């Protein structure tokens, strides 16, 4: 049962099933979520006047209160919307969140590098270690999905594999939450995302880093990585079954075109399909031998065009909705020729995000990168600008993107 409550009556532990406006016009990436922090609560209060709370999915000790409040609400006029925080406060908060995300990213990357080295040397994978990292990532996601998407922006060449593992875990958990999965399933997706390609440590480096097409034998070797990964995890012991299924099935596709077993439809674990989709998306956004990186915006369009048979149209549509029209990290060209990178989605419209400006209309880089809100009030900078197009990393310059996404430029 859904109960209409004023936002001032919502508390942590309640499951918000609907807002008083479309989800895309809100800062929330998840269409339906349990309020878990004060921060989420205040975001909710800044965005809406009332929401619909799902009684059964809310904490049991809150249910009678929800019933009471919902009844009380009928007779009362709705409250006026609170004023949005002044832009300079919001921008400060965004910068703080990005800096924090960068810290976590660095720590996680170091951990994953060690994990890969250990696996390469034949040491056991510490399940507890992976779980701890995933829990920390998940906490970041729950507090601020926008900032946690910033975790995935740095694509350094030497840490390519580690970064891809982190990206798959982070985006996977965000999508899993958007799909309404419970905490256990979201954690499995995180662990599976982090470990999905661990079997590649058994594939010769000459094959992994080959530029140009692989020979038939090399391709066969490459395609052993899901089963090699499963073997590795079985030797380590204690890895939950859903995580193992994700690792061994992440290249299976609904139409049977995947590997290693050419499974079809229901034979494939739904979490493995979810991770498979996210894995492919992140691979498209990264620069791999023979495949130049696409902008997140174009990668989503390509998934929609080419991957329907592999993952199912609805799953892909839901993923696109989850990532937003211009995913965080997309470099866009504005109507006046200036360029900026999407750093935060906006509560008023996903088509008008907050940008970190990187080049002025003449192409001169900004030394201090200003933040601009395309949905800002009339007369503010950015309010008259519109996004003209999303740029692929090669079009804008991979090195320039790397410079933008380092700590120094954000602080
Ligand atoms: Fe893989
Ligand atoms: Fe992968």
């Amino acid at each position: 049962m859904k109960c209409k409550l004023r936002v001032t009556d919502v508390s942590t532990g309640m499951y918000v099933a609907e807002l008083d406006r479309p989800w895309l016009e809100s800062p929330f990436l998840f269409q339906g979520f349990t309020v878990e922090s004060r921060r989420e609560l205040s975001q909710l209060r800044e965005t809406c006047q009332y929401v619909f709370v799902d009684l059964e999915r809310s904490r049991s000790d809150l249910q009678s209160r929800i019933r009471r409040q919902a009844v009380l609400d009928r007779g009362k006029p709705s409250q006026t919307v609170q004023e949005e925080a002044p832009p300079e406060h919001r921008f400060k908060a965004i910068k703080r969140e990005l800096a924090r995300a960068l810290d976590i990213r660095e720590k996680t990357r170091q951990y994953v590098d060690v994990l890969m080295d250990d696996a390469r040397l034949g040491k056991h994978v510490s399940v507890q270690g992976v779980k701890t990292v995933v829990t920390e990532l998940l906490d970041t996601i729950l507090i601020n999905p926008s900032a946690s998407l910033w975790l995935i922006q740095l694509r350094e060449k030497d840490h390519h594999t580690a970064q891809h593992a982190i990206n798959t875990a982070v985006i996977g958990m965000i999508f899993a939450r958007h799909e309404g999965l419970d905490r256990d399933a979201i954690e499995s997706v995180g662990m599976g995302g982090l470990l999905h390609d661990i079997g590649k440590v058994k594939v010769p480096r000459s094959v992994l880093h080959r530029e140009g097409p692989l020979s038939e034998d090399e391709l066969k070797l490459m395609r052993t990585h899901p089963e090699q990964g499963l073997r590795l995890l079985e030797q380590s012991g204690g890895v939950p079954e859903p995580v193992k299924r994700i690792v061994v099935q992440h290249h299976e596709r609904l139409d049977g075109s995947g590997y290693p077993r050419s499974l079809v439809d229901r034979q494939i674990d739904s979490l493995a399909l979810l991770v498979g989709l996210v894995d492919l998306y992140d691979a498209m956004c990264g620069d791999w031998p023979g495949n130049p990186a696409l902008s997140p915006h174009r990668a989503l369009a390509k998934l929609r065009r080419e991957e329907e048979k592999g993952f199912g149209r609805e799953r892909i549509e839901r993923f696109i909705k989850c990532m937003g029209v211009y995913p965080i990290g997309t470099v866009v060209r504005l109507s006046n020729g200036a360029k900026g990178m999407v750093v935060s989605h906006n509560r008023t419209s996903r088509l008008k995000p907050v940008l970190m400006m990187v080049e002025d209309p003449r192409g001169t880089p900004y030394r201090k990168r200003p933040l601009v809100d395309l949905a800002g009030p009339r007369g503010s900078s950015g309010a008259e600008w519109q996004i003209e197009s999303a740029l692929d990393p090669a079009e804008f310059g991979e090195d320039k993107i790397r410079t933008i996404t380092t700590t120094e430029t954000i602080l």
Side-chain angles (χ1 to χ4, degrees), residues 164-165 168 193 196-197 200 225 250-251 275 278-280 282-283 288:
H164 172 60
T168 309
H196 76 283
D197 277 339
K200 282 193 180 169
H225 80 268
H250 73 274
H251 285 288
V275 171
V278 172
D279 172 32
L280 185 58
D282 186 65
W288 299 85

Side-chain angles (χ1 to χ4, degrees), residues 242-258:
V243 177
K244 288 195 223 162
R245 280 198 294 275
I246 291 172
V247 172
V248 75
Q249 294 183 1
H250 73 274
H251 285 288
E252 300 287 357
R253 302 290 181 257
L254 289 171
D255 59 355
S257 64

Side-chain angles (χ1 to χ4, degrees), residues 82 121 142 163 167 238 253 270 288 297 340 389:
Q82 287 180 16
L121 295 170
L142 296 178
Q163 193 59 47
N167 293 359
R253 302 290 181 257
S270 62
W288 299 85
H297 181 77
S389 61

Side-chain angles (χ1 to χ4, degrees), residues 78-345:
S78 60
Q79 213 197 358
T80 50
V81 189
Q82 287 180 16
E83 285 268 296
E84 192 171 307
E88 62 274 23
H89 287 191
R90 285 186 55 216
F91 288 169
K92 259 191 193 160
I94 290 174
K95 286 199 171 198
R96 219 177 24 241
E97 283 152 10
L98 293 181
R100 198 172 142 255
L102 284 164
D103 257 11
I104 295 168
R105 180 175 74 184
E106 184 53 31
K107 216 171 96 194
T108 315
R109 204 199 58 204
Q110 282 172 7
Y111 173 79
V112 176
D113 278 340
V114 172
L115 181 88
M116 298 279 181
D117 284 345
D118 281 357
R120 213 166 276 129
L121 295 170
K123 290 190 195 164
H124 284 177
V125 172
S126 153
V127 180
Q128 198 43 51
V130 175
K131 215 174 169 171
T132 309
V133 169
V134 164
T135 311
E136 262 184 51
L137 289 178
L138 182 54
D139 285 343
T140 318
I141 288 166
L142 296 178
I143 293 168
N144 193 313
S146 292
S148 62
L149 280 169
W150 191 256
L151 288 170
I152 68 177
Q153 287 317 314
L154 191 66
R155 293 176 189 275
E156 287 174 299
K157 286 232 156 69
D158 358 339
H159 299 286
H160 212 309
T161 315
Q163 193 59 47
H164 172 60
I166 298 169
N167 293 359
T168 309
V170 169
I171 307 171
M173 287 195 282
I174 288 176
F175 186 32
R177 193 170 186 223
H178 183 264
E179 292 278 75
L181 302 180
D182 62 25
R183 189 163 178 129
D184 278 354
I186 298 175
E187 281 183 0
S188 294
V189 165
M191 290 177 74
L194 217 50
L195 296 168
H196 76 283
D197 277 339
I198 191 111
K200 282 193 180 169
V201 300
K202 300 283 182 195
V203 177
R205 277 175 189 251
S206 57
V207 176
L208 275 182
H209 301 293
R210 166 72 46 87
E211 302 249 356
L214 297 176
S215 72
E216 212 165 292
D217 283 347
E218 287 168 332
L219 197 63
K220 258 192 201 153
L221 212 55
M222 181 72 128
R223 292 187 161 187
T224 59
H225 80 268
E227 282 175 323
Q228 297 270 25
L230 177 65
R231 221 163 294 147
L232 246 157
L233 297 184
E234 272 171 349
Q235 284 159 10
S236 300
V239 180
E241 288 305 316
V243 177
K244 288 195 223 162
R245 280 198 294 275
I246 291 172
V247 172
V248 75
Q249 294 183 1
H250 73 274
H251 285 288
E252 300 287 357
R253 302 290 181 257
L254 289 171
D255 59 355
S257 64
Y259 63 91
R261 302 210 180 138
S262 309
L263 301 176
V264 291
D265 299 323
R266 295 253 167 108
Q267 292 176 319
I268 310 171
D269 186 280
S270 62
L271 300 185
L273 265 180
L274 184 154
V275 171
L277 178 58
V278 172
D279 172 32
L280 185 58
Y281 167 74
D282 186 65
M284 285 174 173
C285 298
D287 199 13
W288 299 85
N291 269 320
L294 296 181
S295 74
H297 181 77
R298 292 219 178 122
L300 290 178
K302 193 167 180 208
L303 281 180
R304 181 188 266 149
R305 241 185 3 254
E306 297 176 10
E307 300 298 331
E308 195 181 306
K309 288 190 185 129
F311 297 99
R313 189 160 141 204
E314 284 173 9
R315 185 175 283 102
I316 292 177
E317 290 300 333
R318 294 197 301 271
F319 181 58
I320 293 172
K321 215 167 185 184
C322 166
M323 296 304 285
V325 185
Y326 295 105
I328 291 186
T330 310
V331 178
V332 294
R333 185 189 289 116
L334 297 169
S335 43
N336 66 352
K339 296 180 190 102
M341 183 184 260
V342 177
V343 293
S344 180
H345 286 138

Side-chain angles (χ1 to χ4, degrees), residues 21 36 38-39 43 65 79 85 100 140 180 186 188 282 291 328 378 400 405 410:
R21 64 202 59 220
E36 274 160 4
R38 280 165 173 265
R39 193 186 186 115
Q43 268 187 327
R65 198 171 103 203
Q79 213 197 358
R100 198 172 142 255
T140 318
I186 298 175
S188 294
D282 186 65
N291 269 320
I328 291 186
R378 269 176 170 275
K400 282 199 247 172
T405 53
I410 289 171

